[in-house]
Amino acid sequence: SQTIHQWPATLVQPVGSPLSLECTVEGTSNPNLYWYRQAAGRGLQLLFYSVGIGQISSEVPQNLSASRPQDRQFILSSKKLLLSDSGFYLCAWSGQGANEQYFGPGTRLTVT
Amino acid sequence: QKEVEQNSGPLSVPEGAIASLNCTYSDRGSQSFFWYRQYSGKSPELIMFIYSNGDKEDGRFTAQLNKASQYVSLLIRDSQPSDSATYLCAVRVDSWGKLQFGAGTQVVVTP
């Protein structure tokens, strides 16, 4: 069966510091991968999605970036965090040609 | 901008009753629809998906889709306190699998 991991689970970072969040998927090959952010009391906002290694599409222009160095690894980064970057960051995967997306456990980021 | 609308709630439901959640969407070409359950502080969990007009049942959950009227609904029968959560409606909006989410409906099941 497929499993999706995210780490760290929680993170507190000062404004202006860098960020690196990691997501890995097990039990499947060539998945579509997605990064979402959920601000407190808000809906899910799609940040990036990837249909293959090195193929990244950005949905929202901001100070975040994403990379996919391996088939089942998706990384979300920032060089300098803003207060507005606080939120619940969720990675999701879907199979190629499949519709359903499955979410990882998430990383709760607080920027102070 | 393709939109997905849900009533934010909270929807208060007595234990054992039916909870009825509604979702409307703006993109008439949408073909795939999803319901996720999100407990407080946790990530969303896929509980139902529906692609064809009509009803789809899975245990105590029934998803209903009406493409002509552009709405999808979720019924939760015999509601339990463990059903208390926020329910997110999602619509696939392109060929790459991107989903547009509604803001969610909070359901509170009271004993």
Side-chain angles (χ1 to χ4, degrees):
Chain A
S1 64
Q2 297 84 12
T3 308
I4 180 168
H5 303 279
Q6 288 187 247
W7 62 91
T10 60
L11 192 59
V12 180
Q13 292 284 92
V15 168
S17 64
L19 174 73
S20 181
L21 304 180
E22 189 166 342
C23 168
T24 59
V25 181
E26 296 178 353
T28 187
S29 297
N30 199 24
N32 291 339
L33 296 172
Y34 308 84
W35 277 112
Y36 291 86
R37 178 172 60 201
Q38 187 175 40
R42 304 284 297 276
L44 285 163
Q45 179 187 35
L46 179 63
L47 303 175
F48 300 94
Y49 68 96
S50 172
V51 298
I53 296 175
Q55 301 179 61
I56 310 291
S57 295
S58 173
E59 286 295 296
V60 182
Q62 55 203 327
N63 68 321
L64 298 173
S65 62
S67 63
R68 185 170 177 174
Q70 301 180 37
D71 180 43
R72 291 171 289 173
Q73 183 184 33
F74 206 20
I75 297 173
L76 182 70
S77 303
S78 175
K79 293 182 179 178
K80 289 185 177 181
L81 285 169
L82 307 173
L83 284 174
S84 57
D85 290 324
S86 292
F88 193 31
Y89 286 81
L90 293 154
C91 182
W93 75 274
S94 68
Q96 285 292 335
N99 289 314
E100 307 86 58
Q101 289 185 23
Y102 300 92
F103 286 87
T107 294
R108 194 163 302 280
L109 171 67
T110 303
V111 182
T112 61
Chain B
Q1 175 71 13
K2 299 172 182 176
E3 296 182 347
V4 178
E5 301 285 344
Q6 296 181 253
N7 290 327
S8 62
L11 176 65
S12 184
V13 181
E15 185 174 357
I18 296 175
S20 178
L21 292 76
N22 295 316
C23 171
T24 60
Y25 58 95
S26 63
D27 184 6
R28 186 170 291 276
S30 296
Q31 297 294 320
S32 305
F33 308 86
F34 308 86
W35 284 100
Y36 287 83
R37 177 177 63 199
Q38 186 174 25
Y39 292 115
S40 180
K42 300 297 184 181
S43 63
E45 174 192 8
L46 180 64
I47 56 172
M48 289 288 287
F49 54 89
I50 186 167
Y51 306 144
S52 304
N53 275 331
D55 294 359
K56 179 182 179 182
E57 186 174 317
D58 184 359
R60 295 187 295 111
F61 297 104
T62 299
Q64 299 174 318
L65 175 61
N66 184 323
K67 291 183 180 179
S69 300
Q70 294 177 243
Y71 81 79
V72 56
S73 61
L74 180 70
L75 301 178
I76 307 174
R77 292 183 301 280
D78 187 23
S79 295
Q80 301 297 309
S82 59
D83 295 325
S84 297
T86 297
Y87 290 80
L88 304 173
C89 173
V91 177
R92 178 169 173 162
V93 294
D94 73 2
S95 60
W96 296 110
K98 287 162 45 182
L99 300 182
Q100 183 72 38
F101 282 82
T105 298
Q106 184 186 5
V107 172
V108 179
V109 180
T110 55

